[in-house]
Amino acid sequence: MTNILGINAYHGDSSACLVQDGELVSAVEEERFRRIKHWAGFPSKAIEYCLDEAGIQLGDIQHVAINTDPKAQLSKKVAYTLKNRPSMKMVLDRIKNKQQRTNVEDELKTCFPGQTFSGEVHHVEHHLCHLASSHIVSPFRESIAVSVDGFGDFSSAAIGVGNGNSIDVRSRVYFPHSLGIFYQAMTQFIGFPHYGDEYKVMGLAPYGKPTYLDKMREVVRLLADGTFELNLEYFRHHNERVEYEWEGSSPTIGQLFNAQALENLLGFKARKPDDSLDDIHRDLAHSVQAMYEEAFFNILNVTHEQYGIDQLTLAGGCAMNSVANGKVYRRSPYKSVYIQSAAGDAGGAIGAAYYVANKADPSVKDFYMSHAYLGPSFDNAYHGELLEKNSERLDAENCEVQFVEDESSLYQTVASEIAEGHVIGWFQGRMEWGPRALGNRSILGDPRRADMKDILNLKIKRRESFRPFAPSILRDKVSDWFEEEDDVPFMMQVFQINEDKRQEIPAVTHVDGSGRLQTVTVESNRRYYNLISAFNDLTGVPIVLNTSFNENEPVVCRPEEALECFLRTKMDVLVMGDWLVKRTGG
């Protein structure tokens, strides 16, 4: 048996996966174990899980594949440095970052004392990993593969043609031009400074108007070949030192925009995180999203015209822009699209592993990643022991604990609780791979209640009121409720809800009439499908509100974390496997 360990290290969302004879058997992000969002560094705990899940040791691994290659684009790096002469602080900072990255063999030796790795380490170029992470595990034999992100190995975008298990990279966008940097810089300007805050801008955008779109077109310029370039007058990353800290924590990135130039262009100052959120910020968010979409669809449309392939696979951090992804069928000629559940840097672990798998054995069978349930799982016995250990705490919270032997009864009971407006913690099976909760580590609510957003934010999430919640829908009911018809198993596309249905599900209908749906089938997640079916039988609505099981932390991984989240919030019901815990008041 050939064991290939794929890792994403020294980027945000550090992760690991294990591929055995072409089968993806496990994949998980380090943050779930470290309990620090977007944890960056070497994914030792994720690796440990992958080995334990397969019942193997480090010595059984023949290949380790990492999604970065320091030698990639070396001539481009040298040429840029000689031509542009960036600040010495910037150059020294990049050298320091490289030096901090201990080689993989040494990391493994440190993290796994007593175990010996005698296999081969492969460094695979960053964007090639992104492309592979989507195309090779897609259902398509042939696709146009597109990767767009901030930067990786001196590139910010790559376009390739995937055929079978191989990818031919046809074009790239190089440093310092980057759509990811554009979106991140504007996210900072709007007053959301943390790594990964771009989704807040995406959620805020529908509340505004494209008032500043013409000005954004001065910041990003579209090119005839389908690519783009930044007007570097408005940025700092290309010639100044921008702080980037990652070791042992969530990444922190310094200010990317040139404040004076951008403030002069827009006519107002950058918003601070504690400042009020006004119409100018909503309008800017809308304009940023619109500019991103113009550039994104310029890539897609020109590329389709060049290569004439109707299947599209997307990856890279920008492929997490579910709003743009949901417009692919409306604004481009593509007939099918696939985006795996960890499209960002975490997914590079899968891309690296499969790239090496196909190099090591070209005859390896095709693999289709149809679901994302690839993380740790726990059985009813484990849940029962945990609840017994915490019986006094549960009694103090007036909680009723019961084991529901009949599955059908469990679904009907939980569906009734949802229909009564209660908030449910739903902890089942293997944890999801990627940032989305997809029905195994989810908090569930009634999509019919207009006040459910407020209830969730009051009881648990405590997040910005403009951010939407997602609908999980039975796959065969999609066309009844949404204007588009497609499989969206990983919650990676936003579609318009049918106008006559919006008032029926206000809790999952965004201000622009859209919803970031997740389609659920009995094959992909039997228990979640049966729960939604029970809710449909009760209410006539084949949808439940789904948000991640967490409270200002990474999504819960272990039952202990689920129980702690339940106890410290005002969640009404916790379901772990067949165990049901309900607050009874008093």
Side-chain angles (χ1 to χ4, degrees):
M1 176 176 287
T2 301
N3 294 307
I4 299 175
L5 184 67
I7 60 176
N8 166 48
Y10 315 120
H11 290 275
D13 301 313
S14 171
S15 65
C17 73
L18 181 66
V19 174
Q20 292 185 318
D21 288 344
E23 285 287 328
L24 179 61
V25 298
S26 58
V28 67
E29 295 101 323
E30 187 78 1
E31 67 160 28
R32 303 300 170 86
F33 303 108
R34 302 278 184 171
R35 310 308 301 158
I36 298 174
K37 280 189 174 183
H38 304 296
W39 195 90
F42 191 76
S44 59
K45 293 185 180 297
I47 293 171
E48 182 180 5
Y49 159 71
C50 289
L51 297 175
D52 288 346
E53 179 69 21
I56 62 176
Q57 292 194 323
L58 198 58
D60 298 311
I61 298 291
Q62 288 88 10
H63 302 277
V64 172
I66 183 169
N67 66 329
T68 184
D69 180 4
K71 297 178 182 177
Q73 276 69 251
L74 186 58
S75 62
K76 292 276 186 182
K77 296 174 186 176
V78 172
Y80 180 85
T81 302
L82 293 175
K83 179 180 178 181
N84 295 280
R85 299 188 179 278
S87 74
M88 185 55 64
K89 283 186 178 180
M90 174 182 172
V91 174
L92 292 174
D93 191 51
R94 291 181 178 273
I95 293 172
K96 179 183 176 183
N97 278 340
K98 295 292 184 184
Q99 289 175 339
Q100 285 179 329
R101 302 179 182 186
T102 309
N103 69 57
V104 173
E105 291 92 338
D106 288 345
E107 292 276 20
L108 292 171
K109 186 181 298 183
T110 300
C111 296
F112 297 91
Q115 298 189 44
T116 302
F117 171 66
S118 56
E120 187 176 357
V121 174
H122 306 261
H123 290 268
V124 186
E125 191 273 327
H126 184 84
H127 282 275
L128 182 56
C129 290
H130 275 319
L131 299 178
S133 77
S134 192
H135 169 76
I136 292 180
V137 302
S138 79
F140 310 138
R141 182 68 187 169
E142 186 178 44
S143 81
I144 293 176
V146 176
S147 168
V148 184
D149 68 3
F151 287 113
D153 290 336
F154 210 68
S155 299
S156 74
I159 295 98
V161 173
N163 194 319
N165 288 333
S166 66
I167 297 169
D168 180 15
V169 180
R170 302 291 178 89
S171 64
R172 293 180 181 273
V173 177
Y174 294 100
F175 183 92
H177 305 288
S178 166
L179 275 183
I181 290 295
F182 160 72
Y183 210 105
Q184 187 175 21
M186 298 311 302
T187 296
Q188 292 177 343
F189 191 90
I190 295 171
F192 303 124
H194 297 119
Y195 184 90
D197 275 353
E198 289 86 348
Y199 65 92
K200 295 183 180 181
V201 173
M202 190 170 59
L204 182 63
Y207 290 90
K209 300 175 182 178
T211 307
Y212 301 101
L213 181 54
D214 285 344
K215 296 185 184 298
M216 291 299 97
R217 289 173 179 148
E218 295 183 37
V219 178
V220 180
R221 298 164 179 163
L222 307 188
L223 303 180
D225 66 356
T227 63
F228 55 87
E229 63 181 16
L230 300 181
N231 183 340
L232 297 173
E233 174 187 351
Y234 299 105
F235 299 90
R236 299 177 59 239
H237 67 281
H238 59 294
N239 61 6
E240 296 182 48
R241 179 181 180 272
V242 174
E243 297 80 6
Y244 178 55
E245 301 293 338
W246 51 266
E247 181 61 36
S249 66
S250 176
T252 57
I253 298 179
Q255 181 178 302
L256 292 164
F257 60 88
N258 180 329
Q260 183 175 349
L262 200 51
E263 289 171 356
N264 288 342
L265 175 70
L266 296 171
F268 60 91
K269 290 188 176 296
R271 175 179 172 267
K272 296 179 181 178
D274 293 331
D275 290 349
S276 63
L277 198 59
D278 301 324
D279 284 344
I280 54 173
H281 307 116
R282 298 181 186 94
D283 291 347
L284 181 56
H286 190 116
S287 304
V288 169
Q289 177 66 25
M291 184 67 251
Y292 170 78
E293 290 178 13
E294 285 191 3
F296 177 66
F297 286 108
N298 187 46
I299 294 172
L300 297 196
N301 288 315
V302 172
T303 302
H304 186 276
E305 184 178 345
Q306 287 175 327
Y307 305 119
I309 298 171
D310 289 337
Q311 294 75 43
L312 174 68
T313 51
L314 293 173
C318 292
M320 298 299 297
N321 194 309
S322 52
V323 172
N325 298 342
K327 298 176 182 178
V328 167
Y329 299 138
R330 293 185 173 196
R331 295 181 58 178
S332 78
Y334 291 95
K335 301 295 192 297
S336 302
V337 60
Y338 178 86
I339 314 160
Q340 65 111 330
S341 61
D345 283 338
I350 286 179
Y354 272 99
Y355 178 82
V356 170
N358 287 288
K359 288 290 185 182
D361 182 5
S363 66
V364 69
K365 63 181 178 180
D366 291 342
F367 172 80
Y368 168 37
M369 186 175 149
S370 60
H371 69 82
Y373 308 108
L374 297 160
S377 65
F378 305 84
D379 58 22
N380 279 319
Y382 192 101
H383 300 321
E385 290 177 10
L386 176 65
L387 294 172
E388 178 62 29
K389 289 177 183 177
N390 288 272
S391 58
E392 291 186 6
R393 297 176 68 196
L394 292 166
D395 288 342
E397 289 286 329
N398 297 301
C399 291
E400 179 183 278
V401 179
Q402 61 175 310
F403 182 76
V404 185
E405 292 188 15
D406 180 63
E407 272 196 28
S408 178
S409 177
L410 179 68
Y411 303 138
Q412 292 169 12
T413 299
V414 177
S416 296
E417 293 286 347
I418 295 172
E420 290 174 14
H422 293 156
V423 177
I424 314 298
W426 182 254
F427 185 102
Q428 303 290 326
R430 297 186 72 179
M431 185 178 66
E432 300 90 338
W433 161 246
R436 311 291 192 213
L438 301 172
N440 278 6
R441 302 291 188 274
S442 292
I443 292 174
L444 308 178
D446 189 342
R448 304 170 304 160
R449 293 183 62 115
D451 60 348
M452 184 50 66
K453 291 181 182 179
D454 293 334
I455 290 172
L456 281 166
N457 279 327
L458 177 65
K459 288 188 173 186
I460 297 128
K461 303 299 281 191
R462 299 185 179 94
R463 67 185 200 178
E464 295 89 349
S465 61
F466 59 80
R467 289 166 55 190
F469 291 101
S472 293
I473 181 170
L474 301 180
R475 173 65 184 92
D476 58 355
K477 302 293 185 181
V478 172
S479 60
D480 296 336
W481 292 81
F482 288 86
E483 293 182 5
E484 282 83 7
E485 169 74 20
D486 199 8
D487 289 313
V488 191
F490 304 137
M491 212 183 283
M492 286 294 192
Q493 291 160 273
V494 169
F495 289 163
Q496 288 293 305
I497 298 169
N498 289 334
E499 194 166 355
D500 63 336
K501 296 290 189 181
R502 294 173 188 174
Q503 62 183 5
E504 293 189 48
I505 49 172
V508 294
T509 301
H510 203 21
V511 66
D512 60 352
S514 68
R516 191 186 69 204
L517 75 161
Q518 174 203 0
T519 56
V520 183
T521 66
V522 69
E523 294 82 10
S524 65
N525 193 329
R526 180 182 61 83
R527 291 175 74 91
Y528 196 36
Y529 181 91
N530 287 339
L531 173 61
I532 301 173
S533 294
F535 185 77
N536 183 42
D537 292 341
L538 185 64
T539 66
V541 176
I543 297 169
V544 297
L545 179 153
N546 176 12
T547 188
S548 56
F549 198 150
N550 61 348
E551 182 209 19
N552 297 317
E553 60 179 331
V555 177
V556 299
C557 173
R558 300 176 57 82
E560 290 86 350
E561 294 144 15
L563 181 60
E564 289 301 321
C565 185
F566 171 77
L567 288 172
R568 71 172 176 266
T569 64
K570 297 179 181 179
M571 210 177 302
D572 300 296
V573 177
L574 171 64
V575 186
M576 296 193 298
D578 294 322
W579 287 93
L580 189 147
V581 182
K582 180 181 178 180
R583 280 192 166 96
T584 59

